[in-house]
Amino acid sequence: MKQSRQFLCALGLVFTTLGSAQAIPLSTLLHGGSITAGDKLFSDWSFTYAASDLGHSHRIFNPASIDVTALNDGGDNPGPGLQFDVSSGELSVTGNGVYAYVDLQLGFRVTVLDPTRQIKDNSLSLGGLFMPYQHDGDNDTGAYILETVGTAAFTDNLGVKEVEGSVLDEITTFALTDSAEFLPQSEIWVSKNILAWSVDTTDTASLTQFTQRFSQTVPEPGTLALLCIAGLAGCLARNCPRFSRP
């Protein structure tokens, strides 16, 4: 008799403390919305979607089932970021005996609001992956994210990252974090191709959470001093008569 086995990957823990951050449905972001984490503005969201059973009533992409939450607890390194929480099986698939899959590509722009906090690196992590499969030595199921970072939309001149959790013929692959290093940037474009797949009808792959961070430069003491002086001068010019024009 075949035995069943389940793998539950929960890096970062689904119960990560997020403070008072409010989740925003991906559907809102795709309709011109934006979200801010620290001084980083995430905007210009876009997507494409494909699935092996696209067109069936149970496989219509619903971006409202993906919540995006700002992460403000990373300081300068790993920096602010985003957490994506997936519900209602939006990125889940059960095998069809051939090759069943869901494939979502997301793109967005990251803009620095504070010029002293430029983006210098970024990281990506799989935080929730559930793979129940039949323990029979013949499996092919998992989830994978390929992410590119560039200075323009859908380019990769700043870096490429890959994370994966999968089972192939009882051999498990867990490469759950990856990062890219690049020179400080005031604006970057991120594109992620998210794939969940399964072959056997007894096997399922379900991606429920992933996160990413954007580390940032630390202001030089001299830069901070100049900003303080400029701010003080502006304040005096507005409020002190001797700094005002006659």
Side-chain angles (χ1 to χ4, degrees), residues 167-185:
V167 180
L168 177 61
D169 299 336
E170 298 298 323
I171 299 175
T172 58
T173 298
F174 288 135
L176 301 174
T177 62
D178 199 3
S179 60
E181 299 180 357
F182 45 83
L183 294 175
Q185 306 287 325

Side-chain angles (χ1 to χ4, degrees), residues 148-231:
T148 60
V149 184
T151 53
F154 304 109
T155 61
D156 62 1
N157 58 310
L158 294 179
V160 178
K161 296 178 294 300
E162 299 176 83
V163 293
E164 177 181 355
S166 64
V167 180
L168 177 61
D169 299 336
E170 298 298 323
I171 299 175
T172 58
T173 298
F174 288 135
L176 301 174
T177 62
D178 199 3
S179 60
E181 299 180 357
F182 45 83
L183 294 175
Q185 306 287 325
S186 59
E187 175 186 284
I188 63 173
W189 292 81
V190 176
S191 176
K192 57 175 88 278
N193 188 34
I194 306 163
L195 175 69
W197 77 91
S198 195
V199 174
D200 291 356
T201 57
T202 56
D203 300 347
T204 297
S206 182
L207 179 59
T208 61
Q209 186 189 89
F210 53 94
T211 62
Q212 56 187 157
R213 299 279 187 167
F214 299 83
S215 63
Q216 52 197 6
T217 54
V218 180
E220 296 292 337
T223 302
L224 287 175
L226 288 174
L227 288 174
C228 290
I229 292 171

Side-chain angles (χ1 to χ4, degrees), residues 6-246:
Q6 293 184 345
F7 276 87
L8 178 61
C9 166
L11 281 189
L13 300 179
V14 176
F15 302 104
T16 301
T17 300
L18 299 176
S20 59
Q22 183 68 40
I24 298 178
L26 179 60
S27 54
T28 299
L29 298 173
L30 291 173
H31 283 86
S34 63
I35 184 171
T36 301
D39 78 299
K40 305 299 182 285
L41 175 67
F42 300 84
S43 63
D44 297 85
W45 292 75
S46 64
F47 85 100
T48 58
Y49 178 80
S52 53
D53 56 354
L54 190 62
H56 293 219
S57 60
H58 63 286
R59 186 54 72 185
I60 297 174
F61 178 58
N62 180 14
S65 295
I66 301 178
D67 284 334
V68 184
T69 304
L71 300 176
N72 297 297
D73 58 349
D76 292 319
N77 188 14
L82 298 177
Q83 178 169 302
F84 297 78
D85 291 290
V86 186
S87 60
S88 303
E90 198 60 51
L91 295 179
S92 299
V93 62
T94 298
N96 57 9
V98 182
Y99 182 79
Y101 68 90
V102 292
D103 189 351
L104 171 65
Q105 180 166 303
L106 285 178
F108 53 86
R109 179 173 66 167
V110 191
T111 307
V112 171
L113 301 179
D114 178 354
T116 68
R117 289 283 196 269
Q118 291 191 312
I119 308 163
K120 66 181 184 70
D121 303 312
N122 97 302
S123 60
L124 174 68
S125 300
L126 279 179
L129 176 59
F130 187 51
M131 293 186 300
Y133 70 92
Q134 197 76 18
H135 182 48
D136 56 9
D138 182 19
N139 312 98
D140 188 0
T141 186
Y144 170 80
I145 301 178
L146 171 68
E147 181 173 276
T148 60
V149 184
T151 53
F154 304 109
T155 61
D156 62 1
N157 58 310
L158 294 179
V160 178
K161 296 178 294 300
E162 299 176 83
V163 293
E164 177 181 355
S166 64
V167 180
L168 177 61
D169 299 336
E170 298 298 323
I171 299 175
T172 58
T173 298
F174 288 135
L176 301 174
T177 62
D178 199 3
S179 60
E181 299 180 357
F182 45 83
L183 294 175
Q185 306 287 325
S186 59
E187 175 186 284
I188 63 173
W189 292 81
V190 176
S191 176
K192 57 175 88 278
N193 188 34
I194 306 163
L195 175 69
W197 77 91
S198 195
V199 174
D200 291 356
T201 57
T202 56
D203 300 347
T204 297
S206 182
L207 179 59
T208 61
Q209 186 189 89
F210 53 94
T211 62
Q212 56 187 157
R213 299 279 187 167
F214 299 83
S215 63
Q216 52 197 6
T217 54
V218 180
E220 296 292 337
T223 302
L224 287 175
L226 288 174
L227 288 174
C228 290
I229 292 171
L232 179 60
C235 179
L236 289 174
R238 288 191 299 272
N239 298 289
C240 183
R242 65 178 178 175
F243 281 91
S244 302
R245 292 183 179 180

